[in-house]
Amino acid sequence: MSIEVYLNFNGNCREAVTFYAEVFGTEQPEIMAFGDAPPSPDFTLPEEAKDLVMHTRINIKGSTVMFSDVFPGMPFVVGNNVSLTFVGDHIEEIQSAFHKLKEGGKVAMELQETFWSKCYGSLTDKFGIEWQFNLRSEEDCG
């Protein structure tokens, strides 16, 4: 289990993560753009979103730092563009932390299977801290 930092950018994520990789001497990151995601029949991806970064990460001295651009039209406020990501190997620890942190908070996405994780969810806790939850193993979300 680990807590990782997730940084959001307003269209300049690719430039930012490349810069940080150079600063900290890491390998250049693999970048997944929104246009690389499997298409959904329920949603047409806007042209301006296709090259934006959906997800990438670098390792800085043993800490994983993840990055993405916000989706066009989504709010972006400098200073509020950081969330903490709880990454676990067991569904019980993910579910327990999620359900405790959602009390008095606001759920953005209930725990569910996504194309990148068997169990993912997000919320803002009662103190205004944004959290993402990601199951590292292949266990089902339940």
Side-chain angles (χ1 to χ4, degrees), residues 52-138:
L52 294 176
V53 176
M54 180 176 177
H55 179 76
T56 189
R57 74 172 111 212
I58 59 175
N59 186 294
I60 301 173
K61 303 294 183 198
S63 294
T64 298
V65 181
M66 298 176 286
F67 303 78
S68 71
D69 281 310
V70 295
F71 199 77
M74 297 297 290
F76 178 82
V77 178
V78 174
N80 290 349
N81 54 327
V82 177
S83 61
L84 299 177
T85 304
F86 182 92
V87 180
D89 294 313
H90 303 288
I91 188 62
E92 297 81 18
E93 66 186 1
I94 297 285
Q95 290 171 331
S96 175
F98 184 90
H99 292 296
K100 289 175 183 175
L101 285 171
K102 81 176 187 180
E103 290 180 30
K106 182 178 180 188
V107 173
M109 184 176 183
E110 287 289 348
L111 292 174
Q112 60 189 273
E113 184 172 341
T114 64
F115 72 88
W116 67 86
S117 175
K118 288 285 190 177
C119 191
Y120 174 86
S122 61
L123 59 81
T124 301
D125 71 19
K126 64 184 176 182
F127 300 106
I129 304 300
E130 292 185 25
W131 291 87
Q132 297 182 61
F133 299 82
N134 198 46
L135 181 64
R136 189 183 347 250
S137 74
E138 291 299 312

Side-chain angles (χ1 to χ4, degrees), residues 20 23 42 45 99 112 119:
Y20 294 132
V23 167
D42 300 326
L45 187 66
H99 292 296
Q112 60 189 273
C119 191

Side-chain angles (χ1 to χ4, degrees), residues 6-77:
Y6 208 112
L7 304 174
N8 295 112
F9 293 84
N10 197 20
N12 60 345
C13 180
R14 193 177 303 268
E15 175 186 1
V17 73
T18 300
F19 172 74
Y20 294 132
E22 289 174 16
V23 167
F24 295 105
T26 71
E27 291 184 21
Q28 286 300 310
E30 292 183 31
I31 294 176
M32 177 189 289
F34 283 103
D36 297 333
S40 169
D42 300 326
F43 178 75
T44 302
L45 187 66
E47 195 63 38
E48 66 270 20
K50 290 183 179 177
D51 289 329
L52 294 176
V53 176
M54 180 176 177
H55 179 76
T56 189
R57 74 172 111 212
I58 59 175
N59 186 294
I60 301 173
K61 303 294 183 198
S63 294
T64 298
V65 181
M66 298 176 286
F67 303 78
S68 71
D69 281 310
V70 295
F71 199 77
M74 297 297 290
F76 178 82
V77 178

